Amino acid sequence: MKQLLYVLLALSAVLFPSMAFASEAAHQSIDLTSHWIGYTAIAIFVLAYTLVILEEQLHLRKSKPVLLAAGLIWILIAAYYNSQGMPHAAEVAIRHNFLEYAELFFFLLVAMTYINAMLERDVFNALRDWLVQKGFSYKALFWLTGILAFFISPIADNLTTALIMCAVVLAVGKDEPKFVAMSCVNIVVGANAGGAFSPFGDITTLMVWQKGILEFTEFFALFLPSVVNFVIPAFIMQFFIPTGKPNAISGEMTQIKKGGLTIVGLFILTIMTAVSFHNFLHLPPVFGMMLGLAYLKFFGYYIRKSGQGEIDKSDAPTSHHIEDDFDIFDKIAKAEWDTLFFFYGVILAVGGLGFIGYLGMVSEFMYGELGPTTANIIVGVLSAIVDNIPVMFAVLTMNPVMSDTQWLLVTLTAGVGGSLLSVGSAAGVALMGQARGYYTFFSHLKWTPVIALGYAASIYVHLLIN
């Protein structure tokens, strides 16, 4: 048996030379923080993010500058390591970053496909009509969508929850842009706060849980701080919500198309599958989401087979367009690709800066010089500027010696700190794409002071009770 293992290892070294050097190259990194390459990489990243912030003014999609920045940063890194005779070090590093992105990409793609399928089946239009029929005011709808975002995100995740609630807000209040913009801010804050007290409510909490630093039940100690983080900004913002109610619907109420409610059930089943993959099979949740996509694909086949007309009775190619056609690949094609590519650029660019040495340098300064409490509060602010995933990854890589209270604090701040800016969390970035023209970087920025008040209050409550 040992001989067979040695043969397989030898073959892998011949066929896949990058794997043979993976272990060695993973430990080979050169500090370039004081090198011109490091300074150039920082300048590229800052310029790219400036263009992201100015997206609405320049009418330049946010994915374009970060895609370019990621490519340029890794060209600089790879060229330098090749010149030093270490070509595999950069290769291993970028593969690691790309794997992180791939998991996020497919998770989001499945979630977006389900959202598009429910939109096509008029699920959200029917919900909109029901909400309007109930006579809810704009203020009541503001609170309702925010509270639902807070309580659904611990079960699903903050991104998926935000996408669902934003679809409802757009359907209900599209004639009142101010209401849509403020509701999106509230949804982002609520979804991020709700995801902070659940191990699978946010990617950062999932990372801490997978690392084995905190037990599953320990995260629930963050419930009250999360409530405070959401309620304080929402309470202040409600006074600026437009008065009145959405326009009454003329004509008949929208009816959910055939299979709409079943797709909602399949989406819940998909989320349960993803959670079960992680909890019981110890597999990444994205594989459960991909299995859930198969549920939707087979159900889409059933819808088409049971439709009217001859062509509907077969699994027709994507190019066919027929009445009441349910083409699952059309739902995939309508995913928010600008957002998905934006995440690629951010993760690869920030990963490059981390490989250069900047993230480690910042983390070492913060925990070594400033102390854990101050450092963990700053982590939340940094997560709003950069992204909470690489920031939390840097903290976990440093693995500073801290009490459970401090680990809970950094989990809280990394989770809710992203609410300070629209680009600080997956939920915010996704909603900028979904509610384009209503919810922008600057429409969120004007409420940053009250969000910061909730951020500070949640930290105080956590340190007080935990």
Side-chain angles (χ1 to χ4, degrees):
M1 190 68 182
K2 283 185 178 181
Q3 285 78 1
L4 178 60
L5 178 61
Y6 294 148
V7 170
L8 291 174
L9 288 173
L11 282 173
S12 68
V14 173
L15 297 175
F16 307 103
S18 63
M19 292 176 60
F21 292 98
S23 178
E24 177 185 357
H27 299 286
Q28 293 179 335
S29 61
I30 301 172
D31 186 354
L32 298 175
T33 54
S34 299
H35 194 277
W36 70 266
I37 286 179
Y39 296 141
T40 305
I42 286 288
I44 291 171
F45 183 77
V46 170
L47 177 60
Y49 239 79
T50 301
L51 294 176
V52 170
I53 293 172
L54 298 175
E55 176 188 13
E56 292 300 320
Q57 287 68 37
L58 300 176
H59 301 289
L60 178 70
R61 291 293 186 93
K62 59 184 175 293
S63 62
K64 296 178 181 180
V66 291
L67 280 171
L68 181 62
L72 294 176
I73 289 171
W74 279 102
I75 286 173
L76 292 173
I77 293 172
Y80 180 82
Y81 274 80
N82 281 329
S83 70
Q84 300 298 309
M86 303 164 59
H88 298 291
E91 178 188 358
V92 171
I94 198 171
R95 283 181 184 274
H96 172 76
N97 283 281
F98 186 78
L99 177 60
E100 287 190 350
Y101 166 72
E103 291 188 15
L104 181 63
F105 170 84
F106 284 106
F107 192 101
L108 298 182
L109 188 63
V110 175
M112 289 176 176
T113 301
Y114 265 100
I115 296 297
N116 287 333
M118 286 186 274
L119 283 169
E120 191 273 341
R121 294 284 101 179
D122 285 331
V123 172
F124 296 116
N125 287 335
L127 176 60
R128 173 204 62 194
D129 293 356
W130 180 84
L131 288 171
V132 173
Q133 186 187 50
K134 288 296 181 182
F136 291 120
S137 64
Y138 282 120
K139 184 176 291 187
L141 290 167
F142 171 83
W143 277 105
L144 183 62
T145 53
I147 290 171
L148 286 172
F150 181 86
F151 283 104
I152 294 175
S153 60
I155 303 170
D157 69 89
N158 55 0
L159 174 67
T160 305
T161 302
L163 289 170
I164 294 173
M165 290 299 104
C166 182
V168 174
V169 166
L170 286 171
V172 174
K174 60 184 178 182
D175 296 326
E176 187 60 69
K178 184 178 179 182
F179 164 75
V180 174
M182 294 180 67
S183 294
C184 285
V185 175
N186 192 43
I187 288 167
V188 170
V189 175
N192 288 339
F197 69 87
S198 168
F200 42 84
D202 187 83
I203 296 175
T204 54
T205 58
L206 185 62
M207 291 165 66
V208 174
W209 182 33
Q210 284 181 320
K211 193 84 170 180
I213 293 172
L214 295 172
E215 296 297 326
F216 184 89
T217 54
E218 288 185 273
F219 289 90
F220 300 130
L222 294 175
F223 176 74
L224 283 179
S226 297
V227 170
V228 170
N229 182 270
F230 162 64
V231 169
I232 288 180
F235 178 77
I236 297 173
M237 292 173 65
Q238 70 169 337
F239 296 107
F240 300 90
I241 292 293
T243 57
K245 301 177 181 180
N247 294 327
I249 298 176
S250 59
E252 297 183 0
M253 294 277 292
T254 301
Q255 298 297 317
I256 299 177
K257 292 180 182 178
K258 178 181 179 179
L261 293 178
T262 303
I263 291 174
V264 174
L266 289 176
F267 186 44
I268 295 172
L269 179 61
T270 296
I271 294 168
M272 294 171 60
T273 302
V275 173
S276 298
F277 263 55
H278 179 265
N279 286 354
F280 306 117
L281 300 178
H282 305 290
L283 293 174
V286 64
F287 294 108
M289 292 294 287
M290 292 302 291
L291 177 58
L293 182 60
Y295 306 159
L296 184 59
K297 281 177 172 286
F298 273 96
F299 186 67
Y301 175 74
Y302 163 76
I303 290 177
R304 299 184 69 158
K305 287 282 285 184
S306 60
Q308 302 293 325
E310 289 302 318
I311 194 170
D312 242 0
K313 294 186 180 297
S314 65
D315 199 10
T318 304
S319 58
H320 286 245
H321 296 284
I322 51 182
E323 187 178 354
D324 201 31
D325 179 33
F326 187 85
D327 187 346
I328 192 62
F329 290 101
D330 180 60
K331 308 300 169 283
I332 294 174
K334 290 178 180 177
E336 184 53 53
W337 289 98
D338 183 50
T339 299
L340 293 171
F341 286 128
F342 173 80
F343 280 123
Y344 168 86
V346 168
I347 290 177
L348 269 293
V350 174
L353 296 179
F355 189 62
I356 287 172
Y358 285 115
L359 291 183
M361 182 179 70
V362 171
S363 297
E364 190 170 349
F365 166 74
M366 288 165 53
Y367 288 97
E369 302 293 332
L370 302 179
T373 300
T374 304
N376 290 333
I377 293 172
I378 293 175
V379 162
V381 178
L382 287 175
S383 70
I385 301 170
V386 184
D387 187 72
N388 58 0
I389 297 172
V391 171
M392 178 58 83
F393 180 75
V395 174
L396 292 172
T397 303
M398 276 290 295
N399 197 21
V401 179
M402 297 192 297
S403 64
D404 285 355
T405 299
Q406 290 294 338
W407 277 110
L408 283 170
L409 176 60
V410 73
T411 301
L412 174 69
T413 56
V416 304
S419 300
L420 294 169
L421 297 175
S422 63
V423 295
S425 66
V429 172
L431 261 58
M432 281 197 297
Q434 190 177 15
R436 186 178 304 280
Y438 294 95
Y439 174 65
T440 65
F441 178 86
F442 289 103
S443 69
H444 189 109
L445 185 65
K446 69 171 63 175
W447 297 106
T448 293
V450 296
I451 298 171
L453 184 63
Y455 177 73
S458 65
I459 293 171
Y460 175 78
V461 170
H462 166 66
L463 295 176
L464 185 66
I465 66 174
N466 292 326

